[in-house]
Amino acid sequence: MPRELIVDLGARSYRILCGAGLLEQTGFLLAGLKLSPSCLLVTNATVGPLYASRVEASLQEAGFNSQTVVVPEGEAAKSLAVAARLYDAALEAGLDRQSAVIALGGGIVGDVAGFGAATFLRGVPFVQIPTTILAQVDASVGGKVAVNHPLGKNLVGAFHQPRLVVSDLATLATLPLREVKAGLAEVIKYGVIADAGFFAYLEEKVAAALALEPAVLAEIVYHSCLIKAHIVEKDECEGGLRAILNFGHTLGHALETLTGYGALHHGEAVAVGMVAAARLAQARGWLAAVEVGRLLNLLKQTGLPVAIPPLEQESLLKAIERDKKTRGGTLHMVLPRRIGKVEVVPVSLEELKTVLF
Ligand SMILES: NC(=O)c1ccc[n+]([C@@H]2O[C@H](COP(=O)([O-])OP(=O)(O)OC[C@H]3O[C@@H](n4cnc5c(N)ncnc54)[C@H](O)[C@@H]3O)[C@@H](O)[C@H]2O)c1
Ligand SMILES: [Zn+2]
């Protein structure tokens, strides 16, 4: 039986299902959503050949007419040009306002397909079938959709909640190990920001998680979604609380920018960012050394980097400052008080320097 949870957002509430072998049930699961028969399945050249035929067959069996669009690999897919291709395909396939756009793939496919769904006909139903750990525990939940701009990632986007999220854990079997580890960085983040018990579970099960043990994966994906869902329910459009999801991301984003996107995977950059934030909290006397040690240890056991790569001080601070500008004025960071509890607080560059260099 799949595990199920509901993201409670009033009229925009939706179900998240996670379990093995759900791809084959896609059509049946969509049949309850009062959708038009025509729909668009968006995937990429890696995931499509592995899994699209199962989804297509299931949709067909349930009476849907699906048209499949393959978008490019990598961040290049998150562009207005690719979104325009989705509109063309949606028109060709005869989508109407009750037709679904279905994303089958990692966070990149989800973000661009979701952006297409949010904007086509001023918004059509969107369904997520995430196939990476990162997408299952993070990108598919919460309704943020976006494409990139030459000046920065995710600069053009919307909040458009999915109507359903179907996380088939069996798809993770083909995921490269590096992607598994990067996804687990965000899972560890959830433990630190919201749930000490979950963090302890991860400490105990890290080897099983890396080996993709089904029961452990199920618990990890379900529990992470639960934590994110609770946060999103309280703050759908990022007015306040949702900011705690950015733990490890201030330095993480700066590292991604400076090392060039792709060199350091997002999850790897976040791992380093979490260590820096934890050290800062320790320097403030907030976080006990033993807790910093536990975080460091868990990240290392997951196979994630924990040391800041050698970068020029000036450019690193500049990249962090740029991040601050987009949020208006003062640099804010998410700092742990203890594992399971964080606060968003102003941090000066001087203070940051003491742990960065
Ligand atoms: N919307 C949000 O709230 C949100 C949150 C976090 C991240 N994101 C976005 O998500 C993106 C990153 O997502 P990602 O880490 O999933 O990367 P991704 O989509 O690039 O997927 C990683 C790689 O794995 C491949 N892949 C996917 N599923 C596979 C499978 N089952 N088997 C084999 N290979 C598979 C992909 O083709 C890709 O090469 C970023 O663009 C980020 O901005 C969005
Ligand atoms: Zn992240």
Side-chain angles (χ1 to χ4, degrees):
M1 278 297 281
R3 299 217 200 175
E4 175 175 346
L5 68 102
I6 293 180
V7 186
D8 185 0
L9 294 169
R12 291 177 305 287
S13 296
Y14 53 96
R15 290 199 298 164
I16 300 173
L17 295 169
C18 58
L22 291 177
L23 290 184
E24 287 79 0
Q25 292 182 42
T26 312
F28 164 75
L29 293 168
L30 260 68
L33 296 178
K34 300 200 180 84
L35 302 167
S36 298
S38 53
C39 55
L40 201 67
L41 180 65
V42 184
T43 187
N44 75 7
T46 307
V47 180
L50 291 169
Y51 301 114
S53 63
R54 296 188 215 172
V55 177
E56 286 160 353
S58 170
L59 288 169
Q60 198 178 2
E61 206 182 315
F64 289 98
N65 295 316
S66 72
Q67 192 81 34
T68 300
V69 185
V70 178
V71 302
E73 245 310 327
E75 288 288 333
K78 285 174 56 171
S79 70
L80 288 172
V82 170
R85 275 185 44 210
L86 298 184
Y87 306 141
D88 293 346
L91 288 167
E92 247 169 60
L95 262 63
D96 61 45
R97 298 206 58 188
Q98 269 66 50
S99 302
V101 172
I102 306 164
L104 172 69
I108 289 183
V109 169
D111 275 9
V112 66
F115 180 79
T119 45
F120 184 64
L121 303 179
R122 297 195 187 84
V124 296
F126 176 42
V127 172
Q128 290 263 28
I129 310 181
T131 63
T132 64
I133 292 187
L134 183 120
Q136 294 188 351
V137 302
D138 189 357
S140 66
V141 183
K144 278 203 208 174
V145 296
V147 293
N148 300 326
H149 184 276
L151 290 182
K153 267 189 75 173
N154 299 326
L155 289 181
V156 184
F159 286 98
H160 188 60
Q161 299 292 341
R163 295 281 293 275
L164 177 70
V165 181
V166 181
S167 287
D168 188 335
L169 303 170
T171 61
L172 301 178
T174 51
L175 198 60
L177 183 61
R178 192 171 174 193
E179 300 292 346
V180 171
K181 293 175 182 173
L184 288 175
E186 301 279 1
V187 172
I188 293 167
K189 176 191 81 178
Y190 289 129
V192 179
I193 65 173
D195 193 331
F198 185 52
F199 189 90
Y201 175 84
L202 296 171
E203 288 178 311
E204 192 189 321
K205 302 288 188 187
V206 57
L210 288 168
L212 303 180
E213 212 173 90
V216 174
L217 274 188
E219 176 60 21
I220 281 178
V221 173
Y222 175 80
H223 209 94
S224 299
C225 288
L226 203 64
I227 291 172
K228 182 156 183 189
H230 281 322
I231 294 168
V232 169
E233 281 167 2
K234 290 192 198 132
D235 180 20
E236 186 179 357
C237 295
E238 208 161 331
L241 179 71
R242 203 164 166 162
I244 67 171
L245 292 166
N246 289 330
F247 174 53
H249 283 61
T250 305
L251 180 64
H253 283 150
L255 291 176
E256 278 183 281
T257 313
L258 289 180
T259 56
Y261 286 105
L264 209 57
H265 283 209
H266 176 71
E268 295 165 354
V270 169
V272 176
M274 288 194 288
V275 173
R279 289 210 189 286
L280 227 160
Q282 183 185 8
R284 280 189 175 202
W286 284 15
L287 190 64
V290 56
E291 304 239 296
V292 181
R294 283 176 70 193
L295 175 62
L296 215 70
N297 202 28
L298 182 54
L299 292 169
K300 277 188 195 158
Q301 290 202 349
T302 308
L304 287 159
V306 293
I308 300 168
L311 289 163
E312 208 219 326
Q313 171 169 346
E314 200 61 15
S315 42
L316 187 57
L317 291 175
K318 260 206 194 106
I320 290 170
E321 282 248 74
R322 224 171 306 141
D323 197 56
K324 155 182 125 176
K325 264 186 212 118
T326 60
R327 284 188 242 134
T330 337
L331 174 67
H332 280 75
M333 282 180 69
V334 185
L335 300 186
R337 282 281 187 180
R338 56 180 159 77
I339 286 173
K341 181 162 174 39
V342 289
E343 274 179 41
V344 184
V345 289
V347 171
S348 71
L349 283 184
E350 287 309 309
E351 188 182 0
L352 194 57
K353 269 191 207 166
T354 60
V355 297
L356 290 187
F357 305 104

